[in-house]
Amino acid sequence: MNFNTKISRYFTLHEALYLKSWQIYHIPTEKEIEDITNFAKSLDLVRDLIGLPFIVHCWIRPISVNNLESKYHKMNYNEFVGSKNPNGAHPKGRGCDFHVKGFESAKDCEIIRQKIVPHLNRLGLRMENLIGSWIHIDNLPVIRERFFRP
């Protein structure tokens, strides 16, 4: 598998499948590829809105890593990085944590969040309402509101 393959206008398999803490790639199922690719197209629209490159921190966080060549095969990456939600967006490849190039601080990320919020409904996306040096966007169904506290 070529991890430099583009899955949308702006994003690659590397960004979606690289598990940074373990320095390995998750080998996706067909369903994961479908979900990742669909989500990447939505993330492209957010990237167009902002007009600057995104630096992906974390995309898929599989419950069971599928990489036969790794000592982490079948291990739970989502749990390893501290998530207690096995049904969240990251295990499905439908959520992404990132910052915008040149906007790395928590204050900078809040500026970017406020630019995105008015467009969430039109884009069919949700975004976490948290102060931090990253932005979380996903395409899971809205439970209460699109700009939410986890």
Side-chain angles (χ1 to χ4, degrees):
M1 177 174 280
N2 182 351
F3 295 104
N4 292 317
T5 300
K6 284 193 158 244
I7 53 175
S8 70
R9 279 180 293 148
Y10 301 113
F11 300 99
T12 64
L13 282 173
H14 168 78
E15 291 165 304
L17 300 174
Y18 189 66
L19 309 178
K20 187 175 182 178
S21 294
W22 289 347
Q23 299 182 344
I24 64 165
Y25 289 98
H26 173 65
I27 308 303
T29 65
E30 286 184 31
K31 174 66 171 143
E32 288 171 332
I33 283 287
E34 179 183 331
D35 287 344
I36 287 166
T37 302
N38 288 335
F39 179 60
K41 290 173 186 172
S42 295
L43 211 51
D44 279 347
L45 299 175
V46 180
R47 165 68 170 76
D48 286 340
L49 179 71
I50 301 302
L52 294 166
F54 290 0
I55 309 302
V56 173
H57 299 202
C58 181
W59 196 313
I60 196 166
R61 295 192 314 223
I63 300 299
S64 181
V65 171
N66 185 14
N67 187 332
L68 292 170
E69 297 175 9
S70 171
K71 67 181 181 180
Y72 300 109
H73 180 65
K74 299 243 185 225
M75 292 180 70
N76 187 330
Y77 189 77
N78 193 53
E79 190 175 274
F80 175 80
V81 297
S83 176
K84 307 225 184 319
N85 186 0
N87 298 312
H90 286 288
K92 298 172 178 74
R94 295 176 57 185
C96 183
D97 296 342
F98 64 92
H99 72 268
V100 173
K101 187 173 184 179
F103 290 80
E104 288 94 21
S105 73
K107 184 177 178 181
D108 290 339
C109 286
E110 185 57 26
I111 291 167
I112 299 297
R113 278 187 208 88
Q114 293 309 313
K115 287 183 179 187
I116 297 169
V117 167
H119 304 277
L120 291 172
N121 193 50
R122 174 179 61 85
L123 298 172
L125 297 170
R126 304 180 329 153
M127 183 169 55
E128 286 183 355
N129 181 7
L130 289 176
I131 303 300
S133 58
W134 78 93
I135 297 163
H136 169 92
I137 290 182
D138 68 54
N139 68 354
L140 291 185
V142 173
I143 297 170
R144 288 181 283 289
E145 54 192 331
R146 289 193 184 276
F147 193 44
F148 67 97
R149 290 218 180 256

